[in-house]
Amino acid sequence: MSEQQFSKAEKFWMNFKLYQLWRFLVLNIKIYTIVVQSKWK
Amino acid sequence: MAKIVVIGAGFAGQTAAIYLGTRLGKKHQVTVMSNRDVFGYVPSWVWVGVGHMKPEETIFKLKPVYDRINVRFVHAAAKEIHPDPGDQYVVGEEIGTGNPVRLDYDYLVIAPGPLLNFAGTPGLGPEHGFTHSICSLPHAVKTRDAYLALVERMKKGERVKIVIGTGHPLATCQGAAFEYISNVHKDLLKRGLRDKADILWLSNEPALGDFGVNGVQVKRNGIVMKSEEFIKSVFLDAGIRWQVQTGVKKVEEGKIYWENYEGQEGVTEFDFAMLIPQFKGQPFKYIGKDGEDISAKIVNPAGFVMVDGKYGLPYQELVQTPEAWPARYQNPTYPNIFAAGIAFAPPGPISKPFTNPNNFMIAPAPPRTGMVSGMIGRVVALNIVDLVNGREPSHSERMTEMVAACIASMGDSLWDGSAVAIVMRPVVPDRKKYANEYGRDLFISHLEMGLAGAWMKFMLHHTFIWKFKALPGWQLIPE
């Protein structure tokens, strides 16, 4: 990504449902793991 | 039997109340005093403000929750705190009757949320001014009505000017304003009216994407990407203009008067403006045993409760002193008083403050809302549990240690909505621990935009309301 507008490819991936489902799972796991580690450290 | 009083039932107060009630409520007396009898899920008010969510979907009654977890509820506005040993109590005014209410305490948690200081900017705010706000539910509803009225004007072909951002040079909560501007853009796009609106982001941030936390930096493919570049791309893509490094000084009907870093003064015209006010501490009276005003022992001039931080360090020293940020949120003079959420006095700003040639200071205040509030509420509650059980407080979490995740909505649709997922560790840069110029863990910190974020925002709305209702498994949901 540059300092300009998002490219067509970037916009495509941002709304491509299957890829976003994958990102949803990855983000949830990442955030939950980090936050829970912090909570019970 | 220990008596614990929590003032406030927002993110910090409610979190503290749930932990205290479930751990101490059966054997000790836990009481929440709040001027509202409902919990409000603040992050979803951006959707209320564009008419995409009903206000009642963001609130629930407190008393039935407290009845289940052994917490007493007093529907009253706190007015006075009498902290001197021997006779420690809070005086409130019962909502509805105006009768005085006295609550004695052994431990006190001050978590009433911010005083929205609209008076700090003449002409600001929905009650006595010309701008709107999404900082309270009634304000969000009023904002929605004004926004929908604006939409009707646009449908008739009128071109309008929309300004969204901060309404005071020391305001915080830029994230909420960012969500609102993104949702307004998306809503107008869906209505086919986007070409009828000139939308401007007007903010006190030193740079775009600063959000009052000195920006977010992430490492991707070996390259450090900053939130400034990211948000710039978002705004360019949405056709949103921006003006940062600007402090709003005054508002008149249709006109915002401001001053910037260079000392230039200017006027921005608007048809609709949503500007976040400065936050201050609630104006409680702190009264000593002889009836004298002892506010200076407990709060700073802005009304925020002084806790175990190091105050008075110059900014350059503060950024090199992560231990200056409080760990237990405990007042040094009265160790049985704790402050959680926006109520505690931060030792200074996170973003670099700036004073322009006219001696006009523009400095975003540190955000202490949402996740940060909840985490502090937990730390405070668990330390009180320790103290009540005769142990030393064993919990601490400085903002220079905290990890925070923020999902900034950019359209609520689960089909074609979007949100930016932001993770940062720590919230306040720790330049001693993280050997980079940003003072952050660049591996953990994360910045990503897409439909998945919209799904997460929707999920968080429901999971957090579940947690704040203390329904089964609430402990598994992090703050």
Side-chain angles (χ1 to χ4, degrees), chain B residues 136-437:
Chain B
S136 77
L137 190 54
H139 288 174
V141 170
K142 222 169 170 180
T143 302
R144 174 200 66 190
D145 295 345
Y147 170 71
L148 294 178
L150 186 83
V151 165
E152 290 307 312
R153 284 165 56 187
M154 293 162 78
K155 280 182 186 168
K156 289 175 187 160
E158 193 179 334
R159 276 191 62 81
V160 299
K161 292 173 181 163
I162 297 174
V163 182
I164 294 169
T166 52
H168 189 279
L170 307 179
T172 180
C173 240
Q174 291 82 2
F178 169 75
E179 286 190 82
Y180 191 65
I181 202 169
S182 303
N183 275 271
V184 165
H185 158 74
K186 191 85 177 181
D187 182 67
L188 292 177
L189 208 58
K190 284 200 159 185
R191 292 175 188 270
L193 295 170
R194 183 61 185 86
D195 61 326
K196 296 277 184 286
D198 171 40
I199 306 182
L200 173 72
W201 172 255
L202 184 69
S203 139
N204 60 348
E205 298 160 290
L208 208 55
D210 180 274
F211 295 129
V213 292
N214 216 18
V216 182
Q217 305 80 23
V218 299
K219 205 167 195 173
R220 197 176 284 173
N221 302 326
I223 299 165
V224 175
M225 186 181 69
K226 298 177 189 171
S227 52
E228 181 179 4
E229 299 155 16
F230 190 88
I231 301 300
K232 199 178 276 183
S233 297
V234 171
F235 280 1
L236 280 170
D237 195 58
I240 295 171
R241 296 189 298 117
W242 65 87
Q243 180 180 333
V244 292
Q245 304 183 344
T246 303
V248 171
K249 297 171 80 173
K250 187 175 77 168
V251 182
E252 288 176 358
E253 191 166 7
K255 286 179 180 174
I256 297 166
Y257 294 82
W258 48 260
E259 193 169 323
N260 65 12
Y261 270 25
E262 287 74 39
Q264 295 163 332
E265 296 185 32
V267 182
T268 298
E269 294 187 350
F270 69 94
D271 294 286
F272 173 90
M274 197 296 289
L275 299 175
I276 304 283
Q278 182 194 25
F279 290 174
K280 285 187 131 184
Q282 294 289 349
F284 301 142
K285 286 181 183 166
Y286 296 90
I287 299 170
K289 59 175 182 267
D290 299 322
E292 75 279 23
D293 179 3
I294 53 164
S295 301
K297 285 185 182 177
I298 302 177
V299 292
N300 69 10
F304 296 119
V305 180
M306 311 282 277
V307 288
D308 52 322
K310 277 186 198 165
Y311 295 99
L313 295 179
Y315 181 76
Q316 289 309 332
E317 200 177 330
L318 177 65
V319 296
Q320 301 299 336
T321 318
E323 60 278 10
W325 287 78
R328 292 178 177 171
Y329 307 91
Q330 192 174 19
N331 182 262
T333 313
Y334 300 100
N336 62 340
I337 294 183
F338 295 81
I342 206 95
F344 90 84
I350 305 172
S351 301
K352 195 175 179 183
F354 191 89
T355 304
N356 78 8
N358 305 331
N359 222 14
F360 180 68
M361 189 184 236
I362 303 172
R368 285 103 71 203
T369 50
M371 190 168 178
V372 171
S373 274
M375 289 163 99
I376 298 173
R378 168 173 49 85
V379 166
V380 162
L382 295 180
N383 280 337
I384 291 175
V385 172
D386 281 342
L387 288 163
V388 168
N389 290 328
R391 299 188 297 260
E392 275 296 300
S394 59
H395 300 269
S396 72
E397 192 144 10
R398 301 181 196 277
M399 282 176 73
T400 44
E401 298 164 337
M402 270 181 205
V403 59
C406 169
I407 312 295
S409 168
M410 301 177 66
D412 59 320
S413 166
L414 298 180
W415 181 251
D416 62 354
S418 186
V420 183
I422 302 167
V423 181
M424 57 183 142
R425 182 165 80 182
V427 177
V428 177
D430 178 347
R431 290 174 174 84
K432 284 184 180 168
K433 184 169 181 183
Y434 301 104
N436 58 59
E437 62 178 299

